[in-house]
Amino acid sequence: MSEFEIDFPDVAYDKNDQEFYASLVAEDSSSIFKNRTRVDVFMYAMALGFNAKKRLPLEKKAANLNPSAISGEERWLMRSIAVADTEDLNVIKSHKKVIEIAEEYANAGIHIIRDMIKKSTLESEKEVEFQSVLYAQIKKMGLGKEKN
């Protein structure tokens, strides 16, 4: 692992959302994140926030995600979003700025997820809505295959 990667800081989400993150990944959860990790929720929320072009600063920042839990691919996704947001390739030199941008998009995204859950009345609707949003984003990015 390079020194560049070793210096990667902790990643935070809002302290007020800790219980919500925990409920999404809980063993008894009915969400699509059941038995997944908080990093998975964070990355999905970040993608949703970025797709919605919404950044929301954290109110009560709490370092919740250890850098060792974040894969190299996930780090590069965060860097890519930071470059797209700032339109400056040099932003990847500042881990703190990359993390700040990722955290703010994830914070906006977690609010989107919360709203999606509130709007859905049936548990089955929640999963279909999550999958539809995810598939639409994948399709928009030119990835995946068309449904027949």
Side-chain angles (χ1 to χ4, degrees), residues 11-26 38 41 58 60-65 107 110 114:
V11 176
Y13 49 85
D14 202 294
K15 190 172 184 168
N16 295 327
D17 292 323
Q18 286 180 316
E19 285 184 31
F20 185 60
Y21 269 81
S23 72
L24 290 172
V25 300
R38 292 176 189 199
V41 176
L58 280 66
K60 295 180 183 175
K61 191 172 183 172
N64 298 300
L65 305 174
N107 196 34
I110 204 71
R114 194 184 300 271

Side-chain angles (χ1 to χ4, degrees), residues 20 111-122 126 129:
F20 185 60
H111 285 84
I112 294 169
I113 292 171
R114 194 184 300 271
D115 289 345
M116 289 167 62
I117 290 171
K118 283 180 186 175
K119 284 189 224 172
S120 299
T121 55
L122 302 173
K126 293 175 189 174
E129 187 172 353

Side-chain angles (χ1 to χ4, degrees), residues 7 11 16 23 27 32 50-51 54-55 62 79-82 85 91 104-105 110 113 133-135 140-142:
D7 293 336
V11 176
N16 295 327
S23 72
E27 213 173 284
I32 63 168
F50 181 73
N51 183 57
K54 292 183 180 178
R55 283 178 61 179
R79 291 177 184 123
S80 299
I81 285 176
D85 180 77
V91 73
E104 290 181 2
Y105 276 121
I110 204 71
I113 292 171
V133 170
L134 181 60
Y135 180 73
K140 186 176 173 182
M141 293 168 38

Side-chain angles (χ1 to χ4, degrees), residues 2 6 30 42 51 54 56 71 81 88 96 100 119-120 128:
S2 73
I6 291 171
S30 60
F42 179 90
N51 183 57
K54 292 183 180 178
L56 184 62
S71 73
I81 285 176
D88 180 9
K96 288 183 181 183
E100 176 188 325
K119 284 189 224 172
S120 299
V128 169

